[in-house]
């Protein structure tokens, strides 16, 4: 059974810093991996989707990488802003079974 | 497209009552998922459908929970009878051939 771990559980940084969120998974036979953002009391917003054949995906200030062999993915956020404050969830898809990490709660202080 | 649409947004009910949650997936998507989110357990997959057929319901906690997908544009998750421990946010998500998931805004259920 796939297990997904996200470290750290919470992170607080000053505005403007670059930061990295980590996601690790136990079963490397994945179909794809997706990063989501969740604001308090809201649903999940998809940020980036990486297929198993890809190494990274970029969208604006966000860059997600995937290393299947080591069971790791990172989400890099450049020049963080207070509006980036949210919980970031990593989800790993093993052939119809998508498992979520517990998330990293990010706070960007003005 | 309006995205995945869930209703109601909030539901407060008394213990023992029947609760029905509704979901309209994105048109053309062939997969539909129901998740439950709590502080203690995070996001848990309850059941998913492929082309309207239930494929895996191993995440459904008890027989009190049931889900249907009568057609490609509608699904329901029913709890009967409801209990306070069912209080959570229930999310519906849809996907086209598993190329990423799109989530609805969720239904916040409170059972008192």
């Amino acid at each position: 059974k796939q297990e997904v771990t996200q470290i750290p559980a919470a992170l607080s940084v000053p505005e403007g810093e670059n930061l990295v969120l980590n996601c690790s998974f136990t079963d490397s036979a994945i179909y794809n991996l997706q990063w989501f953002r969740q604001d308090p009391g809201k649903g999940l917003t998809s940020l980036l989707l990486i297929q198993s054949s890809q190494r990274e995906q970029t969208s604006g200030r966000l860059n997600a990488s995937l290393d299947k062999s080591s069971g790791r993915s990172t989400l890099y956020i450049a020049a963080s802003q207070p509006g980036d404050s949210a919980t970031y969830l990593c989800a790993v898809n093993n052939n119809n079974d998508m498992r979520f990490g517990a998330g990293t709660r990010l706070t960007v202080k003005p | 497209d309006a995205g995945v649409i869930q209703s109601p947004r909030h539901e407060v009910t008394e213990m023992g009552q029947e609760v029905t949650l509704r979901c309209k997936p994105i048109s053309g998507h062939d997969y539909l998922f129901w998740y439950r989110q709590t502080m203690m357990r995070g996001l848990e997959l309850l059941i998913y459908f492929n082309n309207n057929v239930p494929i895996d319901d191993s995440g459904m906690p008890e027989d009190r929970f049931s889900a249907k997908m009568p057609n490609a544009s509608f699904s329901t998750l029913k709890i009967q009878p409801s209990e306070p421990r069912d209080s959570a946010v229930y999310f519906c998500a849809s996907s086209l051939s598993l190329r990423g998931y799109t989530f609805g805004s969720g239904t916040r259920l409170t059972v008192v």
Side-chain angles (χ1 to χ4, degrees):
Chain A
K1 177 181 171 181
Q2 178 75 272
E3 293 184 7
V4 183
T5 304
Q6 290 187 247
I7 295 173
L11 179 64
S12 181
V13 301
E15 181 177 5
E17 268 201 12
N18 303 325
L19 58 100
V20 175
L21 307 181
N22 297 292
C23 172
S24 62
F25 46 94
T26 54
D27 183 354
S28 62
I30 69 171
Y31 189 70
N32 55 44
L33 183 146
Q34 196 165 358
W35 282 93
F36 292 89
R37 167 187 173 138
Q38 186 174 30
D39 293 281
K42 304 292 186 182
L44 280 71
T45 300
S46 179
L47 297 174
L48 290 164
L49 170 68
I50 309 178
Q51 300 295 342
S52 62
S53 59
Q54 298 175 319
R55 294 291 298 235
E56 65 177 346
Q57 283 287 324
T58 298
S59 176
R61 294 183 294 108
L62 305 180
N63 175 276
S65 68
L66 174 63
D67 184 343
K68 281 198 309 177
S69 61
S70 65
R72 292 180 183 175
S73 176
T74 62
L75 179 66
Y76 175 82
I77 302 177
S80 59
Q81 303 171 357
D84 295 331
S85 299
T87 296
Y88 291 80
L89 293 154
C90 164
V92 180
N93 191 356
N94 289 84
N95 192 27
N96 308 340
D97 186 6
M98 179 171 266
R99 300 281 170 172
F100 284 82
T104 293
R105 189 172 68 254
L106 173 66
T107 303
V108 181
K109 297 175 287 187
Chain B
D1 199 317
V4 177
I5 299 173
Q6 291 187 246
S7 64
R9 290 297 305 275
H10 302 275
E11 177 79 37
V12 180
T13 190
E14 292 185 348
M15 183 174 62
Q17 296 297 308
E18 177 180 296
V19 176
T20 299
L21 311 181
R22 297 172 175 78
C23 175
K24 176 178 168 52
I26 290 175
S27 177
H29 280 194
D30 54 350
Y31 283 85
L32 184 140
F33 304 82
W34 282 100
Y35 283 86
R36 177 171 69 176
Q37 186 178 39
T38 61
M39 289 291 292
M40 291 295 293
R41 302 172 69 92
L43 271 161
E44 302 174 281
L45 176 64
L46 301 177
I47 184 172
Y48 78 90
F49 297 81
N50 179 218
N51 293 322
N52 314 338
V53 176
I55 302 301
D56 184 354
D57 65 354
S58 60
M60 297 284 261
E62 303 172 30
D63 290 345
R64 299 184 295 106
F65 286 68
S66 62
K68 294 181 180 180
M69 192 165 187
N71 57 62
S73 60
F74 184 65
S75 176
T76 59
L77 178 67
K78 185 176 295 186
I79 308 173
Q80 165 64 21
S82 57
E83 298 182 3
R85 60 194 169 116
D86 301 330
S87 297
V89 181
Y90 291 80
F91 288 104
C92 175
S94 71
S95 176
L96 176 60
S97 302
L98 300 179
R99 296 183 212 135
Y101 289 33
T102 302
F103 278 75
S105 299
T107 295
R108 182 174 297 276
L109 173 65
T110 303
V111 183
V112 298

